Amino acid sequence: MNAPDLLLLRTAPKAPRTLRWTGAALELLDQTQLPGTVTYRRCTTLEDVRDAIVTLQVRGAPAIGLAAAWGLVLGMAEQDALPAERWGEALEAAAARLRSARPTAVNLAWALGKMLAAVDEQNLSGRAGREALAVHAAFLQEDDERVCATLGAYGASVIADGARILTHCNAGALAVAAWGTATAPMYHLQAQGRRFKVYADETRPVLQGARLTAFELSQAGIDVTLITDSMAAHLMSQREIDLVMVGTDRVTRNGDVVNKIGTLSVALAAKHFGVPFWVACPLSTYDPATLTGQDVPIEERAPEEVTHLGGQRVAAITQVRNPAFDVTPADLVTGGIITEAGIARPPVGDALAALLRP
Ligand code: MRU
């Protein structure tokens, strides 16, 4: 595979920044207020950051990992006076507290693991430890941008001119440091001046597609059409979709794809109608330690996300299920998995392992 052209690193992002570190605080774009209001939550403590993750003010697998990395910096700033021998234990406890915020996206544990390794390698504690954590959190954030730009170039290479692309949830700029994962190929195509069209599933119950993907793509001047989740199969049956491109919260060793609830229905319909199903997956989201998607904890969220819309009750009953993610079996990934190391084509589990083999 040729080295990708990192065109996006030479392009100014159009979406508002998801995370901003000020030196003393983490400012998070409050995604619960979008698309109506662009406002930032200022987090100065670990608990502020954890709460922002739990309440989806910051969401999307890579973004919650990055927020947690900065949350660890803030948490350890609260512990500056701790004796050196107790610092490591406090660091582990702070990481565990952040890791417990959401269970499904592996990026949370991945980013915190990288942060712990960074201070461990240098055997640091106290103020020096905290400064090293801040340096590493900044590195992870910058690296995420480079990773997404690379994914964008690889992803764009599999999209034909004039393609009509269906996406689900928001695997966009708002879910990462910049550019997104599933949307990075779209921004890359736009920067190349190529023609394409996007369909965004609204993504019940939290409406990440309607509120976030439609917002960021339309703000960027990309041709995007909103549909309800139940319309996707119909559009495929009418030959109005050329390919599906989604993000993921975790890809397991066998190539199963855990992503926002509803992704499985899209993949099943795509297989039926012969529409290629692609997944954009930074390696921070690949979890070879977990064998299959059935081994991944699926977050169950509050019933009010289903019974209410915009604060208004829309359901007659309160007995509901609300799993936030589902598992798309590897054999439904008919296009491939796009990573910053290249593209894994079916069978995707084996191809991912081969891609990463030194
Ligand atoms: O509950 P969310 O909004 O955090 O879920 C987000 C998704 O499922 C995304 O598709 C996934 O995290 C990939 S983001 C690049």
Side-chain angles (χ1 to χ4, degrees):
M1 217 173 287
N2 292 335
D5 174 9
L6 303 187
L7 178 55
L8 290 180
L9 292 184
R10 307 190 297 278
T11 310
K14 293 179 179 121
R17 287 287 180 173
T18 311
L19 315 98
R20 299 189 308 215
W21 175 249
T22 66
L26 177 64
E27 294 178 343
L28 293 170
L29 177 63
D30 183 350
Q31 302 194 28
T32 63
Q33 302 300 309
L34 290 173
T37 309
V38 175
T39 178
Y40 283 80
R41 174 173 179 178
R42 186 178 151 83
C43 299
T44 54
T45 66
L46 177 150
E47 287 303 326
D48 283 349
V49 174
R50 188 177 185 281
D51 181 70
I53 295 172
V54 169
T55 59
L56 307 186
Q57 287 178 312
V58 62
R59 34 65 51 203
I64 63 175
L66 296 173
W70 288 117
L72 198 60
V73 175
L74 290 170
M76 295 319 285
E78 297 165 47
Q79 311 270 359
D80 256 0
L82 212 60
E85 65 277 10
R86 292 189 40 214
W87 198 82
E89 183 191 318
L91 180 67
E92 292 284 349
R97 176 82 185 133
L98 287 160
R99 213 180 284 122
S100 69
R102 295 190 76 188
T104 304
V106 74
N107 301 66
L108 199 51
W110 176 89
L112 291 165
K114 293 280 179 199
M115 292 289 283
L116 297 192
V119 284
D120 208 37
E121 274 161 20
Q122 303 172 66
N123 200 17
L124 295 171
S125 64
R127 196 191 164 91
R130 190 197 2 123
E131 283 168 3
L133 287 172
V135 168
H136 203 70
F139 165 76
L140 290 179
Q141 190 166 329
E142 277 163 33
D143 196 50
D144 186 65
E145 215 166 315
R146 184 192 59 77
V147 163
C148 290
T150 314
L151 276 177
Y154 281 130
S157 74
V158 303
I159 301 175
D161 204 41
R164 296 154 305 171
I165 308 165
L166 174 71
T167 193
H168 189 76
C169 192
N170 174 262
L174 301 173
V176 298
W179 305 117
T181 60
T183 58
M186 303 169 193
Y187 289 117
H188 188 100
L189 290 174
Q190 185 191 38
Q192 287 178 315
R194 304 237 324 260
R195 286 183 317 114
F196 63 100
K197 178 174 176 59
V198 182
Y199 285 94
D201 279 348
E202 68 171 351
T203 317
R204 276 282 285 155
V206 179
L207 305 182
Q208 289 93 333
R211 294 188 303 104
L212 307 177
T213 303
F215 167 77
E216 71 163 81
L217 293 183
S218 57
Q219 287 257 309
I222 288 177
D223 178 352
V224 55
T225 301
L226 181 64
I227 58 172
T228 67
D229 301 354
S230 50
M231 295 171 189
H234 171 69
L235 290 198
M236 289 186 215
S237 77
Q238 300 302 300
R239 305 287 162 214
E240 291 186 45
I241 307 287
D242 298 305
L243 67 114
V244 177
M245 180 73 70
V246 295
T248 172
D249 291 85
R250 196 187 298 225
V251 170
T252 55
R253 188 191 297 184
N254 69 340
D256 285 354
V257 173
V258 184
N259 192 42
K260 179 53 56 196
I261 193 75
T263 305
L264 172 59
S265 314
V266 174
L268 286 164
K271 176 95 168 183
H272 182 81
F273 292 111
V275 175
F277 184 90
W278 292 92
V279 179
C281 173
L283 293 176
S284 55
T285 309
Y286 176 47
D287 178 19
T290 300
L291 295 186
T292 78
Q294 299 309 318
D295 305 316
V296 175
I298 301 291
E299 178 180 10
E300 187 92 23
R301 293 190 59 87
E304 289 71 27
E305 288 182 354
V306 177
T307 55
H308 289 63
L309 260 183
Q312 292 287 318
R313 168 175 282 282
V314 292
I317 57 159
T318 50
Q319 189 168 307
V320 294
R321 285 289 314 277
N322 187 15
F325 300 95
D326 59 27
V327 179
T328 296
D331 65 340
L332 296 182
V333 184
T334 52
I337 296 187
I338 302 159
T339 78
E340 68 271 30
I343 300 175
R345 304 218 179 230
V348 289
D350 295 342
L352 271 175
L355 205 58
L356 297 179
R357 213 167 282 140

